[in-house]
Amino acid sequence: MTARGGRVLLVETSGLPEFDRVRSFYRKCGYDEKARIRDFCKAGDDKIVYRKAIDTQA
């Protein structure tokens, strides 16, 4: 991605409890929560967007 000029990765997931492990994985990989859209899919199911900057010095 860096060779093509990419600087940022975005991933989206659900805020439901069964996605706790997914969210934990993203945080461990260096992603930060940047947006949360409440009740996106249905009541109580938020859409969470994570962001990670790509190291362009590599």
Side-chain angles (χ1 to χ4, degrees):
M1 284 195 53
T2 55
R4 300 179 98 185
R7 300 178 306 110
V8 174
L9 296 171
L10 297 175
V11 295
E12 303 172 355
T13 191
S14 170
L16 292 174
E18 54 262 40
F19 287 85
D20 285 345
R21 289 178 59 190
V22 173
R23 294 188 302 273
S24 177
F25 172 77
Y26 288 141
R27 289 189 298 269
K28 287 178 184 176
C29 290
Y31 287 82
D32 296 313
E33 183 177 324
K34 291 301 176 183
R36 181 180 290 253
I37 304 169
R38 302 278 181 212
D39 303 323
F40 181 77
C41 296
K42 62 182 178 183
D45 186 2
D46 300 347
K47 177 181 190 175
I48 303 174
V49 179
Y50 288 92
R51 177 188 185 274
K52 181 177 179 178
I54 298 172
D55 183 7
T56 58
Q57 303 303 315

